[in-house]
Amino acid sequence: MKPQKTDNFSRRNFLKTSLLASGGLLIGFNLLAACKPGALMPVDIENLNFNDFNAFIKISDDGFVTTFSPNPEIGQGVKTSMPMIIAEELEADWSKVNVVQGALDSKNFTRQVAGGSQSIRSSWDAFRQTGATAKQMLINAAAIKWNVDASTCVASKGIITNANGDKLGYGEVVKEAALLEVPENVKLKEIKDFTIIGQEIVNVDIDKIITGKPLFGLDYKVAGMLHASVLRPPAFGQKLESFDDTKAKAVNGVSEVIKFGDKIAVLATSTWAAMKGKKALSATWIKDSDFESTEKHNEVLTKILDGTKFETRREDGNISQAFAAADKVIERTYHSPFLPHNCLEPMNFYADVTAEKVHLVGPIQTPQWTVSRVAKLLERKEEDIFCEMTRMGGGFGRRLYGDFALEAAEISSLAKKPIKVIFSREDDMTAGTYRPSIKYRIKASIKDGKVTGYYLKEAAINGNMYGAIPNFFPAGCIPNFKVDTANHTSNITTGAWRAPYTNFLAFAEQTFFDELASELNIDTIQLRLDLLQNVKNTTDEKIEYSGQRMEDTIKLVREKANWGKTEEGVFQGFSAYYSHNTHVAEIADIVLQDGFPVIKKVTVAVDCGVVVNPSGARNQVEGGVIDGIGHAMFADFSFNEGKPDAQNFDTYRLIRMLETPKVEVHFIENNLSPTGLGEPGLPPAGGAVANAINAALGKRIYSQPFAKELEKSGILG
Amino acid sequence: MPNYTLHINGKERSVTADADTPLLWVLRDELNLVGTKFGCGIAQCGACTVYIDGVATRSCQMEVSFLDDVKITTIEGLSEDGKHPVQEAWKEIDVPQCGYCQAGQIMTATAFLNENKNPSEDEIRAAMHGNICRCASYNRIEKAVKVAAKKMS
């Protein structure tokens, strides 16, 4: 690839354009910052390796538009929805749009991360501007050809039309457009005029998925590549003392056994041989720090909650006075276990480390961070490292942590061969970065029929709540308010799990408010609406959510679920939560079958601003709700002597079809900038179900998984 | 290592593999048929579902040495053009999120619909219960099976 400098460059804008040697217009852009002066444009896009630039739109001579989707696809739909935004403003014909996953460009691209439901939110404006600018350049080129004023021309479905009715396709003017100045301050479309955004667009990879074409990291292979299966310390708190690889090396297909750190990699010509080889290893492990257990975690977290050493995250009014003056004080404690992510595609990564370069390929949510860590590990320059992203068989936060990519790079570096690390399910479940166990204690004061004080204490493992979370509901709604946190440092690796910080917090708070409503003897939804009035005119800039948007969302779900008007034998539970910039309210309908609660339906209202792709958006919410219910009901992950008790799906229960409710999703219609949907559907789900269970059985649930709590009361499903 | 001849997707394929190698890994590593996915290795998740003589089977549990007399169909061989009614239904309903489990889901659904032309909702749910979708696209899987049943009847 020969990069060429282009003069056609505007620093005030964030676009660069280039005429391709092969014909067609290439538009490179950077999401938030202007292009770096001197950034190079690739001229040979067919052989593009993305090292110089990777957010692109290519418009070919035949009018076909290719967008290079820069954000990693983990099933959240951005590979479809982000190009839709560009195509909308570009006035492209969606049937002529191809979408290609971009590789990592650490130098010129901003926020190339899938996580926190931020992809759509952070790219909305930039993508629209890019599409609109490109459209204007094409119109300007056509106007010059026709010798008319550009303002008399319009574009639609990839065709420019002038006042005389003359028409030119985008492909016919790309050469001229590439030579024009990049216009600034282009006009964006009115939201009411959108023709692609708001349409039900099917996943762009659908044909490959339903026919089994290679797409995922696990499917990636290179001739001569070896498969690596890694034996890691079985318990957290252990290191390798010695090992014997005689039997492993005797396995057919095993070519090498490599020790790296406290791990041993078995390299083989097939995955099966590598896995067999690993099983044939015998290793001796020694303890290098304390073994932890679920029993110990329970003790430690309870001791923290009973103690006085906390860091205050937010404080309003005076909670001590509120409690002293209260008619009644209610205090409850909530507990959740560790959770593994269990992406269905186990962790895997390809690495080819040579003297010249480092080539990494695989499913990763954080390509940039991974490259910088690999650079450090191998003492290489970041420029020598090229990271390609594959489609990911689920992420849920696990693929934010590139430990598997670092393993691959280290093994390849030692073996001096291209290799691919593949985790077995047991490896994946036992060498995780878990959502840590957590306990909350919430205390509220009631005075004259009102909630006057709210005090939440968090006991976390390896840190949990921080930043904006103390400024979510009910912050701003209750005059005396305090959030305190304290931490236990564990040797078990922990990290983000879908809807980090709120996936369990929402359950605790939303069941607590349900209980408060019972104490106050008012409708649980009315209690939320009453409280939200207090935050509507807040001047506190730290408050993250909108009282009005939350109220509208709650009212929509109340109407759609026929709250309080269900048939006999159906019990409802309500929950609402704001997270990841999106407001969500849910109502679960359950029935009792042989005394066990069965969730039949969940009605959901969502305010995520403009819905870019309704089909993808509903899919995210449906999945998020069922995922939230599945983990709240069944997920039980305990430790003993530093080792996880569950290792595979025979001992760790995931929700399956027969436990699945129907999820009905309704979106608030507004013209506000879109926010993400990968996570916000999940946090309210557990609370809605727990509150419905209480409505049916008069039983409050304070711990997850619910099935275990119900079993303790003799309620068996 | 011994040599085996397998009947896969209407063709005879010759492979060299250890006798205990699961069909899953023969398909993926030796024959480049990577549509069949690895999820758990213990027949719990259904991502590796293929047909063996028309019966939906977990390929992670089938040793290659026992498969010389059977006909194997994988997702790649389900239809010539990706237009089996079940595949069409999956597209119409826009089922996948990450998409990783979907080949296994489609194989399970197809085998089920071959046996039961007019299934009830309860029968569909029971038939699909063995396949895990970690993204929980279960509502759409259920809908797509219903749509496919109509297409096939």
Side-chain angles (χ1 to χ4, degrees):
Chain A
M1 189 188 83
K2 277 190 303 184
Q4 69 174 17
K5 289 236 181 199
T6 171
D7 294 322
N8 192 1
F9 165 68
S10 161
R11 283 196 67 186
R12 284 185 57 207
N13 220 305
F14 49 83
L15 292 180
K16 286 177 52 155
T17 62
S18 173
L19 186 61
L20 290 168
S22 59
L25 167 65
L26 180 70
I27 302 157
F29 64 102
N30 192 330
L31 279 183
L32 300 176
C35 299
K36 291 175 186 173
L40 301 175
M41 290 287 283
V43 292
D44 179 8
I45 195 149
E46 281 73 24
N47 294 306
L48 195 62
N49 72 13
F50 298 98
N51 271 343
D52 294 308
F53 227 84
N54 91 333
F56 299 104
I57 312 169
K58 176 189 150 193
I59 304 167
S60 316
D61 286 350
D62 57 9
F64 272 83
V65 175
T66 305
T67 68
F68 296 83
S69 180
N71 273 42
E73 174 67 56
I74 52 177
Q76 84 282 44
V78 290
K79 195 171 169 185
T80 308
S81 57
M82 290 172 79
M84 284 174 70
I85 302 171
I86 294 175
E88 178 70 62
E89 292 288 351
L90 180 59
E91 293 288 1
D93 179 350
W94 182 255
S95 68
K96 290 187 171 180
V97 175
N98 294 316
V99 182
V100 175
Q101 174 75 59
L104 174 68
D105 170 20
S106 58
K107 292 193 291 296
N108 295 305
F109 206 77
T110 311
R111 204 184 185 286
Q112 200 172 359
V113 174
S117 299
Q118 297 299 305
S119 296
I120 281 285
R121 179 169 173 260
S122 56
S123 55
W124 171 248
D125 289 332
F127 274 31
R128 289 181 73 194
Q129 296 260 0
T130 302
T133 306
K135 177 189 77 176
Q136 194 57 51
M137 290 176 76
L138 293 159
I139 288 178
N140 290 351
I144 292 168
K145 261 195 172 178
W146 285 322
N147 198 21
V148 300
D149 189 330
S151 67
T152 64
C153 304
V154 292
S156 173
K157 291 202 164 183
I159 293 166
I160 304 156
T161 310
N162 68 17
N164 302 326
D166 302 328
K167 289 181 191 301
L168 280 170
Y170 279 180
E172 297 172 89
V173 293
V174 288
K175 283 193 180 72
E176 292 80 2
L179 303 171
L180 298 176
E181 282 296 312
V182 176
E184 289 178 11
N185 305 319
V186 293
K187 194 168 177 290
L188 299 180
K189 290 178 77 171
E190 297 281 332
I191 285 172
K192 67 175 172 51
D193 297 328
F194 283 168
T195 57
I196 296 172
I197 291 172
Q199 300 300 305
E200 308 264 337
I201 305 278
V202 174
N203 186 331
V204 293
D205 280 334
I206 186 78
D207 288 326
K208 289 179 181 163
I209 290 169
I210 60 177
T211 55
K213 296 283 184 304
L215 266 180
F216 299 92
L218 206 77
D219 306 339
Y220 185 84
K221 55 176 77 169
V222 167
M225 166 188 102
L226 292 175
H227 303 261
S229 187
V230 177
L231 184 67
R232 303 170 185 82
F236 291 92
Q238 275 180 330
K239 61 182 188 179
L240 180 65
E241 187 177 58
S242 61
F243 70 100
D244 179 352
D245 61 8
T246 319
K247 284 182 186 159
K249 281 181 166 165
V251 172
N252 256 338
V254 168
S255 58
E256 250 176 284
V257 176
I258 294 177
K259 174 185 177 293
F260 63 110
D262 287 306
K263 303 170 186 176
I264 310 154
V266 176
L267 273 55
T269 50
S270 72
T271 313
W272 181 244
M275 286 178 168
K276 265 171 80 175
K278 185 182 90 168
K279 280 187 189 145
L281 284 172
S282 68
T284 311
W285 310 95
I286 50 166
K287 196 169 175 176
D288 74 337
S289 61
D290 285 345
F291 288 159
E292 298 195 358
S293 66
T294 297
E295 202 183 332
K296 183 195 163 178
H297 292 146
N298 270 326
E299 281 169 21
V300 167
L301 295 179
T302 301
K303 204 171 155 194
I304 288 173
L305 288 179
D306 291 344
T308 54
K309 283 184 188 163
F310 288 94
E311 191 175 338
T312 297
R313 302 287 178 169
R314 184 183 168 104
E315 190 167 14
D316 301 325
N318 186 324
I319 52 156
S320 306
Q321 279 178 13
F323 289 129
D327 297 332
K328 186 158 192 183
V329 172
I330 297 164
E331 184 181 89
R332 298 288 182 264
T333 303
Y334 300 87
H335 170 81
S336 74
F338 277 73
L339 292 183
H341 298 81
N342 282 323
C343 304
L344 204 57
E345 179 193 14
M347 297 307 109
N348 65 89
F349 227 79
Y350 168 86
D352 183 16
V353 179
T354 63
E356 292 76 42
K357 63 165 183 63
V358 177
H359 186 199
L360 304 170
V361 186
I364 183 80
Q365 286 174 265
T366 50
Q368 189 167 328
W369 185 39
T370 300
V371 164
S372 70
R373 289 164 77 204
V374 168
K376 211 172 198 179
L377 176 76
L378 301 181
E379 296 178 345
R380 299 287 293 253
K381 283 189 231 149
E382 286 191 24
E383 295 88 88
D384 296 340
I385 302 172
F386 174 47
C387 181
E388 284 183 78
M389 289 166 282
T390 59
R391 191 179 179 87
M392 292 176 237
F396 313 107
R398 178 63 182 92
R399 289 190 230 269
L400 291 167
Y401 308 97
D403 47 304
F404 39 88
L406 268 73
E407 284 184 356
E410 192 167 1
I411 295 164
S412 173
S413 172
L414 292 166
K416 300 188 180 4
K417 289 187 184 79
I419 64 102
K420 184 158 83 173
V421 164
I422 173 169
F423 283 44
S424 66
R425 176 56 53 192
E426 291 79 7
D427 295 339
D428 196 276
M429 214 180 282
T430 58
T433 50
Y434 311 100
R435 193 285 305 272
S437 177
I438 193 160
K439 281 187 198 287
Y440 294 111
R441 185 167 291 163
I442 312 179
K443 190 173 167 184
S445 57
I446 293 172
K447 172 87 178 164
D448 300 330
K450 298 229 177 313
V451 183
T452 54
Y454 186 88
Y455 179 31
L456 182 142
K457 286 193 282 188
E458 174 191 270
I461 292 174
N462 293 345
N464 199 292
M465 188 193 291
Y466 71 91
I469 316 299
N471 302 308
F472 287 3
F473 179 87
C477 291
I478 299 169
N480 304 293
F481 177 91
K482 192 176 182 186
V483 172
D484 277 353
T485 66
N487 187 51
H488 163 72
T489 304
S490 165
N491 60 9
I492 298 172
T493 47
T494 59
W497 193 97
R498 191 177 193 176
Y501 322 119
T502 63
N503 52 46
F504 180 69
L505 175 63
F507 155 77
E509 293 194 311
Q510 290 297 310
T511 51
F512 186 76
F513 275 99
D514 205 68
E515 205 163 341
L516 283 183
S518 302
E519 283 293 333
L520 291 162
N521 203 20
I522 67 166
D523 175 69
T524 191
I525 291 184
Q526 196 54 49
L527 172 64
R528 309 305 205 287
L529 295 175
D530 291 347
L531 287 167
L532 285 167
Q533 301 315 309
N534 303 333
V535 79
K536 275 188 182 169
N537 298 313
T538 184
T539 52
D540 181 349
E541 287 178 0
K542 282 190 185 147
I543 296 289
E544 284 267 315
Y545 63 105
S546 154
Q548 187 62 54
R549 292 178 81 173
M550 189 51 102
E551 178 182 319
D552 294 345
T553 309
I554 289 172
K555 284 181 172 169
L556 180 64
V557 82
R558 181 170 69 177
E559 176 207 325
K560 295 292 183 186
N562 289 317
W563 175 250
K565 293 175 219 151
T566 51
E567 55 191 273
E568 211 186 315
V570 177
F571 301 93
Q572 291 188 310
F574 166 83
S575 169
Y577 209 72
Y578 163 92
S579 67
H580 305 275
N581 311 98
T582 297
H583 299 76
V584 183
E586 299 177 8
I587 290 174
D589 290 8
I590 68 167
V591 297
L592 295 176
Q593 280 176 8
D594 301 324
F596 190 81
V598 174
I599 309 149
K600 299 300 275 188
K601 182 179 164 189
V602 180
T603 310
V604 190
V606 181
D607 180 354
C608 59
V610 171
V611 179
V612 176
N613 181 3
S615 178
R618 281 197 313 275
N619 212 348
Q620 288 304 305
V621 178
E622 290 160 11
V625 168
I626 296 172
D627 189 10
I629 290 173
H631 282 88
M633 283 294 292
F634 306 122
D636 194 11
F637 198 70
S638 54
F639 286 85
N640 246 314
E641 292 286 299
K643 287 184 202 171
D645 290 324
Q647 307 239 325
N648 204 325
F649 298 138
D650 53 345
T651 44
Y652 184 85
R653 187 170 174 190
L654 285 169
I655 194 165
R656 292 170 181 267
M657 183 66 92
L658 286 172
E659 295 110 14
T660 302
K662 299 283 186 296
V663 181
E664 187 183 291
V665 185
H666 302 273
F667 292 102
I668 294 269
E669 286 182 30
N670 61 33
N671 288 343
L672 300 167
S673 295
T675 53
L677 283 172
E679 286 157 316
L682 186 145
V689 168
N691 292 336
I693 290 173
N694 179 66
L697 298 170
K699 178 177 169 50
R700 292 283 174 194
I701 293 176
Y702 300 102
S703 291
Q704 290 184 356
F706 302 167
K708 199 172 173 183
E709 293 303 297
L710 292 169
E711 197 180 323
K712 284 182 197 161
S713 308
I715 303 164
L716 301 170
Chain B
M1 276 189 271
N3 198 65
Y4 299 96
T5 300
L6 302 175
H7 307 271
I8 301 179
N9 299 334
K11 286 182 195 147
E12 291 207 344
R13 306 287 298 260
S14 174
V15 293
T16 305
D18 265 345
D20 65 350
T21 309
L23 174 62
L24 166 68
W25 295 113
V26 171
L27 293 171
R28 293 189 56 85
D29 286 352
E30 311 302 328
L31 299 172
N32 271 329
L33 294 167
V34 295
T36 305
K37 299 300 191 213
F38 168 57
C40 68
I42 58 165
Q44 289 286 316
C45 75
C48 68
T49 305
V50 299
Y51 291 178
I52 293 192
D53 287 338
V55 178
T57 307
R58 304 292 161 90
S59 64
C60 71
Q61 298 303 306
M62 305 305 292
E63 292 185 8
V64 65
S65 53
F66 292 101
L67 300 172
D68 50 345
D69 283 336
V70 299
K71 288 196 169 58
I72 298 160
T73 309
T74 70
I75 186 74
E76 291 91 343
L78 186 63
S79 61
E80 294 242 320
D81 50 4
K83 293 198 170 140
H84 186 284
V86 174
Q87 288 168 316
E88 295 270 77
W90 244 250
K91 189 169 176 174
E92 198 175 311
I93 301 297
D94 193 17
V95 174
Q97 288 182 40
C98 86
Y100 191 79
C101 73
Q102 300 296 348
Q105 303 275 3
I106 289 170
M107 295 307 284
T108 301
T110 313
F112 165 65
L113 291 174
N114 284 339
E115 295 295 314
N116 188 340
K117 302 287 179 204
N118 188 21
S120 68
E121 188 176 303
D122 285 348
E123 286 169 337
I124 292 173
R125 286 167 67 86
M128 301 309 296
H129 189 68
N131 286 64
I132 290 172
C133 173
R134 176 64 184 84
C135 303
S137 66
Y138 293 115
N139 276 198
R140 291 187 184 210
I141 292 168
E142 188 180 327
K143 261 185 229 159
V145 177
K146 268 183 221 164
V147 168
K150 269 193 194 141
K151 285 179 191 285
M152 288 167 77
S153 65

